[in-house]
C-alpha cells in the first residue's frame, strides 16, 4: 500500500483530516476535496499506473485500444481525469438516470470521453459482469480491480498518519471497494471499519442476514452514490468477514449531516459523502467510539438537489454559510 501511495502521490491531492466543528472528537477525512471530487481518482490513477508499471502487455493493450469502465458517476469522473492526464482513449457506460452534475463532471475532466447511456438493467448487468462485449478497450472495474483497490486503500494510510488514535472508521457503502480496502488495512491494527448504507437500498445488510447476496427493494433519493437493489457478489464475499458491521441511515439523517457539514464545517458534500457522518451522529453513543473518523467521500451534487435537501433538512438552522 505504501508503494502505491508513493506511485500516485504526484497525481493526487493529500486531502485534509479535520475535527468536525459540530460534533466533538469526530474527525472527517475530506475526500470531497480530492481531485474530481471523490476518493475515486486514487483508484483510477492506481489502476492505470499499476498496469503501466507492472503489466506491460496489458498497458500496451490500454495504449492501443483505450480503457472502458462502468460507473454511476464518481469513478467515471475520476477515470476521465486519469485518461486525459495519460492521453488514453476512454469509454464509460453510465445509467440513463445519471445525475446531471456527474455527467457534466465527466465531460469537464475529459471532453473526448465516449459516454454510453444505457437502461439501468443493462448498466447493472455490465457492473456485475465487469465487461462489455461491444467495446474492445481494457475494462477497468472500479470495484474488483486489484490495482484500483490498492489506490483506494491509500485513504487509510493517510488517516493513520494524521490520526493514529482513531478507533473506528465509517465508510459509505456503494460498490464496496473502499470499504474492503480500508477494512483489510485497519484489521491489522484491530480498528473497526463500518460500512454505512442508506435505508432506501440496504442490500448489504439484507445479504449479510441471509448469508448470501440477495435483492432488496430500492427507492431513489438524493443519496445517489450509495444504495442499490443488489450487491456485487464478488465484493460481498470479500467484505463480509473483514468489516466490523453495517450501519443504516435514513435520507433525513443524511440530510441533517449534509446540512451540518455545510453550516458547521463550511464543507460541501453530496448525499453519499455525508452518510458516514450521519452514522457517527446516530450510533456513536451506542458503540462508545472516542475518536471516530467519517469518510466524506464525494462532493458532486446538483444545486437544485442541494437546495431541496437543505430546505427539507429536519434540523435546519438559521446560520450563514
Amino acid at each position: 500500500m505504501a508503494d502505491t501511495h508513493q506511485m500516485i502521490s504526484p497525481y493526487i491531492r493529500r486531502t485534509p483530516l479535520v475535527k468536525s466543528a459540530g460534533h466533538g472528537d469526530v474527525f472527517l477525512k475530506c475526500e470531497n476535496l480530492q481531485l474530481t471530487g471523490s476518493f475515486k481518482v486514487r483508484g483510477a490513477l492506481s489502476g492505470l499506473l499499476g498496469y503501466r508499471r507492472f503489466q506491460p502487455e496489458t498497458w500496451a493493450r490500454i495504449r492501443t485500444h483505450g480503457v472502458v469502465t462502468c460507473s454511476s458517476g464518481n469513478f467515471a469522473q475520476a477515470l476521465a481525469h486519469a485518461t486525459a492526464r495519460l492521453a488514453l482513449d476512454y469509454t464509460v457506460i453510465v445509467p440513463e438516470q445519471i445525475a446531471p452534475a456527474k455527467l457534466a463532471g465527466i465531460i469537464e475532466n475529459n471532453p473526448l470521453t465516449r459516454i454510453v447511456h444505457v437502461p439501468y438493467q443493462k448498466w447493472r448487468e455490465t457492473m456485475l459482469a465487469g465487461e462489455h462485449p461491444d467495446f474492445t478497450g481494457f475494462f477497468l472495474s472500479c470495484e474488483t480491480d486489484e490495482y484500483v483497490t490498492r489506490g483506494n486503500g491509500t485513504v487509510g494510510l493517510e488517516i493513520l498518519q494524521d490520526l493514529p488514535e482513531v478507533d473506528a472508521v465509517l465508510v459509505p457503502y456503494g460498490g464496496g471497494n473502499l470499504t474492503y480496502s480500508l477494512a483489510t488495512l485497519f484489521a491489522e491494527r484491530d480498528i473497526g471499519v463500518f460500512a454505512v448504507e442508506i435505508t432506501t437500498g440496504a442490500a448489504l445488510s439484507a445479504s449479510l442476514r441471509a448469508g448470501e447476496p440477495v435483492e432488496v427493494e430500492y427507492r431513489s433519493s438524493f443519496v445517489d452514490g450509495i444504495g442499490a437493489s443488489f450487491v456485487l457478489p464478488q465484493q460481498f464475499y470479500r467484505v463480509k468477514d473483514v468489516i466490523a458491521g453495517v450501519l443504516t441511515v435514513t435520507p433525513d439523517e443524511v440530510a441533517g449531516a449534509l446540512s451540518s457539514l455545510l453550516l458547521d464545517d463550511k464543507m460541501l458534500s453530496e448525499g453519499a459523502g455525508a452518510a458516514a457522518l450521519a452514522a457517527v451522529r446516530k450510533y456513536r453513543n451506542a458503540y462508545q467510539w472516542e475518536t471516530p473518523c467519517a469518510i466524506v467521500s464525494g462532493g458532486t451534487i446538483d444545486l437544485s438537489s442541494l437546495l431541496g435537501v437543505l430546505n427539507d433538512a429536519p434540523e435546519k438552522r438559521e446560520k450563514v454559510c
Side-chain angles (χ1 to χ4, degrees):
M1 199 78 74
D3 290 344
T4 299
H5 192 258
Q6 183 179 36
M7 179 177 68
I8 67 174
S9 287
Y11 301 92
I12 65 170
R13 181 174 293 155
R14 174 63 183 259
T15 56
L17 188 147
V18 300
K19 181 185 287 189
S20 176
H23 303 94
D25 289 333
V26 173
F27 290 81
L28 309 171
K29 178 57 173 170
C30 304
E31 285 297 292
N32 57 320
L33 302 180
Q34 185 55 264
L35 299 176
T36 76
S38 84
F39 73 92
K40 298 281 191 175
V41 76
R42 297 173 182 265
L45 284 163
S46 176
L48 296 178
L49 296 175
Y51 283 107
R52 186 173 73 175
R53 176 176 294 185
F54 300 113
Q55 296 192 34
E57 291 184 1
T58 301
W59 178 247
R61 177 186 170 190
I62 291 172
R63 291 288 296 170
T64 302
H65 299 290
V67 61
V68 181
T69 200
C70 180
S71 169
S72 62
N74 281 337
F75 190 74
Q77 294 180 82
L79 198 52
H81 172 84
T83 52
R85 184 76 184 264
L86 298 172
L88 299 172
D89 185 74
Y90 175 43
T91 300
V92 60
I93 299 148
V94 301
E96 289 177 336
Q97 68 273 32
I98 184 173
K102 293 182 177 179
L103 181 62
I106 298 171
I107 298 169
E108 179 181 348
N109 280 282
N110 187 345
L112 299 179
T113 300
R114 183 182 301 107
I115 303 174
V116 181
H117 296 260
V118 297
Y120 176 80
Q121 184 60 33
K122 183 63 177 178
W123 178 85
R124 169 183 166 158
E125 292 170 1
T126 306
M127 281 291 293
L128 289 169
E131 62 180 4
H132 196 295
D134 294 343
F135 303 101
T136 58
F138 177 77
F139 194 98
L140 187 68
S141 171
C142 60
E143 297 300 338
T144 58
D145 184 272
E146 182 57 31
Y147 294 126
V148 173
T149 300
R150 293 178 192 177
N152 291 342
T154 62
V155 174
L157 287 182
E158 294 179 7
I159 292 172
L160 287 171
Q161 291 169 0
D162 294 343
L163 189 69
E165 66 272 28
V166 63
D167 61 357
V169 178
L170 287 81
V171 191
Y173 193 89
N177 201 354
L178 180 62
T179 301
Y180 171 74
S181 62
L182 295 183
T184 53
L185 174 66
F186 284 102
E188 301 172 2
R189 297 160 176 82
D190 198 29
I191 298 170
V193 170
F194 294 82
V196 179
E197 286 195 296
I198 189 75
T199 53
T200 53
L204 178 61
S205 301
S207 298
L208 287 172
R209 289 193 296 269
E212 62 182 1
V214 297
E215 296 272 334
V216 299
E217 180 184 354
Y218 170 71
R219 291 176 286 112
S220 63
S221 74
F222 72 94
V223 187
D224 62 349
I226 63 174
S229 62
F230 67 101
V231 292
L232 296 171
Q234 58 269 51
Q235 201 74 282
F236 169 76
Y237 289 112
R238 293 206 301 176
V239 304
K240 70 182 185 70
D241 294 324
V242 294
I243 56 175
V246 183
L247 309 172
T248 58
V249 290
T250 67
D252 277 351
E253 289 164 343
V254 173
L258 191 151
S259 176
S260 175
L261 282 171
L262 188 60
L263 298 175
D264 295 326
D265 297 297
K266 315 308 177 191
M267 189 179 302
L268 178 65
S269 168
E270 63 185 84
L277 178 59
V280 173
R281 286 152 52 104
K282 183 176 182 177
Y283 294 100
R284 183 181 187 183
N285 290 340
Y287 282 90
Q288 298 185 322
W289 299 316
E290 294 184 358
T291 318
C293 178
I295 308 294
V296 184
S297 59
T300 304
I301 186 169
D302 292 301
L303 179 60
S304 59
S305 178
L306 175 63
L307 294 176
V309 170
L310 294 177
N311 186 60
D312 294 336
E315 55 183 63
K316 64 180 178 178
R317 290 152 291 166
E318 292 184 358
K319 289 186 177 182
V320 178
C321 300

